[in-house]
Amino acid sequence: MLEEAMAAIAEDGLASLTMSALADRLGTSGGHILYYFGSKDRLLLAALRWSEAALAEERRTLLARRTPAERKLDDFLRLYLPRGPRDPRWTLWIELWARTAGNPELRDAQRELDADWQRDLESLLAAGAARGRFAPLDATARASELLALLDGLSTRVVLGGEAPAPDPRSALDSARAAAALLVPRA
């Protein structure tokens, strides 16, 4: 169900994803989907968690590699940024942010998922500084600043809008430039 929900979001956008439309794609009923998830918000959250779990595994693999910290940081940036304007994971993130103010369950989930990215980036930066690859830095502050910048770039890629809305390649170039300023080499 979650994989199909992500595919539907990528194809038609989040606004077109209804329980009925998803049920039609799956050959089941909207009631069946509601039985498992209870609401569209919970379905969207489950789809985002499912997507983020796959990325968490990729981050663990990335962090465990025996490659220079600079390469790991570049790979982290690529993993974080959307793959294009219809990236379903980022579409879900934007929707989650819009709904968190009035929904404590979503707010807690957002904080949990954000904390995972923050922790992994802090670890990467601290290890790079400890090995002399990056200049001494406050890994917590730098990770937070870099993630905020990545969120902004990602939102612009997914939402598009007025020029100059970046494409994925220019967003990566901007992220690299910001990372070079925030996380200087030793």
Side-chain angles (χ1 to χ4, degrees), residues 3-165:
E3 187 173 0
E4 196 61 34
M6 294 296 278
I9 292 166
E11 291 168 19
D12 303 319
L14 189 57
S16 298
L17 181 68
T18 64
M19 296 298 208
S20 176
L22 182 59
D24 287 346
R25 287 176 71 111
L26 292 167
T28 189
S29 70
H32 184 75
I33 295 171
L34 279 172
Y35 173 79
Y36 284 103
F37 297 103
S39 69
K40 185 176 179 180
D41 280 353
R42 287 192 175 148
L43 169 67
L44 297 177
L45 179 56
L48 184 59
R49 283 184 189 278
W50 175 76
S51 171
E52 287 293 322
L55 288 173
E57 186 59 36
E58 287 185 59
R59 283 196 317 269
R60 281 190 288 279
T61 300
L62 180 153
L63 293 171
R65 283 189 208 137
R66 299 177 68 87
T67 58
E70 302 90 343
R71 174 62 192 253
K72 286 182 185 181
L73 179 56
D74 194 70
D75 290 343
F76 187 97
L77 298 176
R78 270 188 234 173
L79 187 61
Y80 195 92
L81 291 167
R83 296 186 184 3
R86 297 183 68 89
D87 186 305
R89 177 179 66 99
W90 271 100
T91 300
L92 284 172
W93 265 113
I94 293 167
E95 186 69 23
L96 176 69
W97 289 335
R99 295 174 183 225
T100 57
N103 188 324
E105 180 184 12
L106 292 179
R107 187 173 42 250
D108 291 345
Q110 178 212 338
R111 288 179 181 152
E112 173 192 325
L113 294 170
D114 283 343
D116 290 342
W117 284 98
Q118 174 80 25
R119 182 193 64 248
D120 288 346
L121 183 54
E122 281 179 32
S123 172
L124 189 160
L125 298 179
R131 290 186 178 99
R133 304 299 294 192
F134 299 137
L137 52 77
D138 177 343
T140 300
R142 288 297 181 249
S144 182
E145 292 164 351
L146 191 52
L147 289 171
L149 181 132
L150 293 172
D151 287 345
L153 284 170
S154 298
T155 302
R156 290 186 70 194
V157 168
V158 172
L159 296 179
E162 302 207 13

